[in-house]
Amino acid sequence: MGGRIHKTEFAGVNVEMGANWVEGVNGDQMNPIWNMANGTGGLNLRTFRSDFNHLSSNTYKQEMPGGPSTPVDMVVDYYRHDFQFAEPPRVTSLQNTRPLPTFKDFGDDVYFVADQRGYESVVYHVAGQYLETDPESGAIVDPRLKLNTVVREITYTHSGVAVRAEDDKFDMAVYTKIFLKFPERFWPEGLGTEFFLYASGRRGYYPVWQQLEKQYPGSNVLLVTVTDDESRRIEQQSDKQTMAEAVEVLRKIFPGKDVPEATEILVPRWWSNRFFKGTFSNWPIGVSRYEFDLIRAPVGRVYFTGEHTSEKYNGYVHGAYLAGINSADILINCAKKKMCTYNVKGKHD
């Protein structure tokens, strides 16, 4: 439960290792997650609108014999695709991303969640309406909920369902947010300086940076995002090596500054974690409604849900939420109305 929404303490504050933004806000339709986080839902999470409008003037080039145009083009392409979908455009289905339903339906704005209660507050808010919770702490104590368990086999009969746990694999995209703490600030501050890009000749090499002084004042923390192959490479090396690589990049970005050594680093390892094997789904070229219907189709009494079963909003928190509602409706129609037939049309029907 909760998927890749998880806070942890770093540099004296709680930061988000997984989902961090409410994406798709201020459009014609209300994003249900935004409604819970900062609307009538009552959570009133501390959020900040992310401003990407000044990236063109915050792009730092790696000097290369062939000229800087190729690295710059590459990092801009990375920002437009990999930073959003965690994989390069050559493997991402345009059918599901152009236009991207999240922004088309809910609006173009994105809000960074920087609340010490964590983005996971949304999960507990929803789960607390259906599961047993501790009256004092609010923790979910319902015995029906099994955490830290990998499902290996599911068997079912007319009288019940049995789940056997162990390991399995599912191909997931990998999106890694690396946090670095420094003894002092050396990066630009003020309007239009929140995000900056590093144009390397190597695609995805510490490309997208974010300074978090607005979200966590006085923390001296930078966030750099890597994805896909770079995520997997970094997960397999020591944090010390990652810290050294990141600081080297920062010294190239700010050659006129005295860039100190980082004092702390946080490297999430979603790909290496046997309970996750990645961060979120990114459906490849060739995927259509047929595949979505197949993956969420009930098998007897067993029902499936999750962001990966959302045809329009896979990869997003609101996709997971809306997919849960959709799967619940299918189950309810079967249990109460005896409408248990789930038809999957052919791929080319």
Side-chain angles (χ1 to χ4, degrees):
M1 186 196 70
R4 281 76 62 193
I5 301 180
H6 181 60
K7 73 174 187 292
T8 192
E9 193 276 332
F10 176 75
V13 294
N14 286 329
V15 297
E16 301 294 338
M17 295 180 68
N20 217 139
W21 284 269
V22 181
E23 304 206 39
V25 179
N26 297 328
D28 293 335
Q29 300 180 44
M30 171 63 78
N31 185 320
I33 302 301
W34 182 245
N35 189 45
M36 284 185 276
N38 206 24
T40 58
L43 288 175
N44 293 318
L45 296 182
R46 187 168 171 266
T47 59
F48 297 84
R49 181 180 174 274
S50 291
D51 181 6
F52 297 96
N53 293 328
H54 301 273
L55 273 179
S56 59
S57 58
N58 294 341
T59 300
Y60 301 87
K61 310 166 189 175
Q62 176 186 11
E63 295 302 325
M64 295 185 66
S69 59
T70 298
V72 171
D73 291 344
M74 192 184 304
V75 77
V76 170
D77 187 65
Y78 181 96
Y79 162 71
R80 291 175 175 170
H81 297 97
D82 307 45
F83 185 63
Q84 185 71 38
F85 306 114
E87 291 184 320
R90 60 180 168 77
V91 299
T92 300
S93 172
L94 289 177
Q95 179 174 311
N96 294 320
T97 58
R98 294 291 183 271
L100 197 59
T102 284
F103 301 120
K104 180 176 179 289
D105 294 346
F106 300 125
D108 293 329
D109 289 339
V110 300
Y111 282 78
F112 187 96
V113 177
D115 195 289
Q116 292 305 288
R117 292 170 291 174
Y119 202 160
E120 62 192 42
S121 299
V122 170
V123 178
Y124 287 101
H125 174 75
V126 175
Q129 300 174 43
Y130 307 98
L131 300 176
E132 182 183 347
T133 59
D134 183 279
E136 294 185 5
S137 67
I140 298 170
V141 295
D142 199 309
R144 295 172 296 174
L145 178 65
K146 304 298 183 184
L147 300 176
N148 298 320
T149 304
V150 178
V151 175
R152 184 175 181 180
E153 181 181 353
I154 301 174
T155 57
Y156 63 92
T157 65
H158 291 295
S159 59
V161 176
V163 177
R164 187 156 64 95
E166 224 333 272
D167 203 306
D168 199 0
K169 291 186 177 181
F170 183 78
D171 188 24
M172 299 278 282
V174 192
Y175 188 104
T176 307
K177 294 155 49 195
I178 301 170
F179 295 86
L180 293 141
K181 179 176 175 58
F182 292 88
E184 58 193 29
R185 294 193 298 275
F186 53 84
W187 49 85
E189 297 179 67
L191 184 66
T193 64
E194 182 179 356
F195 293 90
F196 52 97
L197 303 178
Y198 175 58
S200 170
R202 176 171 151 188
R203 186 182 184 91
Y205 190 74
Y206 300 99
V208 184
W209 293 79
Q210 182 180 3
Q211 58 107 335
L212 300 174
E213 287 306 307
K214 180 173 63 175
Q215 293 87 345
Y216 308 113
S219 64
N220 298 343
V221 170
L222 289 177
L223 165 61
V224 60
T225 298
V226 297
T227 59
D228 200 38
D229 288 342
E230 279 298 305
S231 288
R232 296 180 182 91
R233 180 187 70 82
I234 286 172
E235 285 200 25
Q236 296 176 81
Q237 70 183 19
S238 69
D239 287 355
K240 183 178 179 180
Q241 177 63 30
T242 302
M243 184 186 292
E245 292 176 353
V247 170
E248 181 184 22
V249 166
L250 288 168
R251 287 172 178 161
K252 291 178 180 178
I253 291 175
F254 304 114
K257 298 286 187 179
D258 183 14
V259 177
E261 296 293 337
T263 57
E264 296 180 52
I265 188 170
L266 174 65
V267 182
R269 286 178 165 81
W270 295 109
W271 176 65
S272 305
N273 190 315
R274 63 197 291 266
F275 296 114
F276 298 101
K277 297 295 185 181
T279 45
F280 53 79
S281 67
N282 180 43
W283 286 94
I285 294 169
V287 166
S288 66
R289 177 62 184 264
Y290 173 73
E291 282 80 14
F292 283 99
D293 284 343
L294 278 181
I295 202 168
R296 71 175 183 172
V299 178
R301 297 162 57 94
V302 182
Y303 289 75
F304 304 91
T305 194
E307 53 85 9
H308 59 292
T309 69
S310 173
E311 181 187 13
K312 294 178 67 177
Y313 309 120
N314 66 291
Y316 294 96
V317 176
H318 53 271
Y321 175 76
L322 293 171
I325 292 176
N326 183 267
S327 297
D329 286 341
I330 295 172
L331 190 155
I332 290 169
N333 283 335
C334 180
K336 290 189 174 182
K337 301 178 182 179
K338 306 304 178 184
M339 299 168 57
C340 301
T341 302
Y342 185 89
N343 294 317
V344 178
K345 294 182 179 179
K347 188 174 181 66
H348 303 291
D349 289 352

